[in-house]
């Protein structure tokens, strides 16, 4: 399964792997398989009309959050797993936005101006026991 998800030749082989996982994988282990690919920017055309281009990361996101896959219903995830995945997706989105902001500010001299003595900042922490 790992070689299919990381296949270098075609993004479509990878998409088949993600779709297979969505159908056949134990819901509690689904996130561990898919997490490394949430921010994958490789482009792929999923629809038959080839008009809508999306990234692998967006495709994976849609597989986890949508119940309809081009007219076919996907298996329902248990409610607690669905909530946990949605929280993890939001966290991953915030981390990605923050990384983009840091890259944008990297070249400017004002990149670190918001870190002043006594300034309040918001931090995120997570590990296996505290996701």
């Amino acid at each position: 399964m790992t070689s299919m998800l990381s296949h270098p030749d075609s993004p479509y082989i990878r998409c088949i792997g993600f779709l297979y996982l969505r159908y056949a994988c134990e819901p509690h282990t689904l996130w561990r398989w898919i997490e490394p690919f949430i921010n994958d920017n490789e482009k792929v055309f999923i629809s038959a009309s080839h008009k809508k281009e999306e990234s692998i990361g967006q495709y994976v996101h849609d597989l986890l959050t949508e119940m309809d896959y081009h007219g076919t219903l996907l298996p329902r995830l248990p409610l607690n797993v669905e909530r946990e995945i949605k929280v993890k997706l939001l966290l991953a989105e915030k981390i990605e936005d923050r990384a983009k902001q840091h890259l944008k500010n990297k070249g400017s001299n004002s990149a670190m101006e918001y870190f002043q003595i006594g300034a309040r900042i918001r931090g995120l922490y997570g590990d296996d026991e505290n996701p």
Side-chain angles (χ1 to χ4, degrees):
M1 199 68 223
T2 304
S3 62
M4 188 175 199
L5 297 180
S6 302
H7 202 281
D9 291 342
S10 172
Y12 299 102
I13 294 172
R14 298 174 64 207
C15 288
I16 291 170
F18 295 126
L19 187 59
Y20 174 79
L21 280 174
R22 182 62 176 82
Y23 273 103
C25 184
E26 180 70 31
H28 298 286
T29 61
L30 184 61
W31 179 255
R32 281 186 264 155
W33 281 103
I34 291 183
E35 179 185 15
F37 305 99
I38 292 296
N39 295 320
D40 191 331
N41 291 324
E42 186 173 2
K43 300 294 183 192
V44 64
F45 291 99
I46 297 299
S47 65
S49 64
H50 294 289
K51 292 181 180 178
K52 183 183 175 200
E53 181 182 51
E54 63 183 331
S55 68
I56 294 283
Q58 184 61 44
Y59 176 78
V60 168
H61 183 275
D62 291 347
L63 279 178
L64 291 173
T65 57
E66 303 293 326
M67 290 296 295
D68 181 59
Y69 181 76
H70 299 278
T72 303
L73 286 177
L74 294 170
R76 184 177 164 94
L77 294 172
L79 191 57
N80 61 340
V81 173
E82 183 180 356
R83 286 179 182 160
E84 183 179 318
I85 286 175
K86 285 183 179 181
V87 167
K88 289 178 180 180
L89 284 171
L90 284 172
L91 181 61
E93 188 177 305
K94 283 188 175 194
I95 290 170
E96 179 71 13
D97 290 344
R98 190 175 20 197
K100 286 179 182 176
Q101 184 65 35
H102 286 302
L103 283 175
K104 189 173 91 174
N105 291 337
K106 189 175 182 179
S108 69
N109 293 333
S110 64
M112 297 299 275
E113 285 181 8
Y114 52 85
F115 288 122
Q116 299 174 0
I117 296 174
R120 296 180 139 228
I121 60 169
R122 190 172 88 188
L124 297 174
Y125 170 77
D127 60 14
D128 292 338
E129 295 176 5
N130 302 303

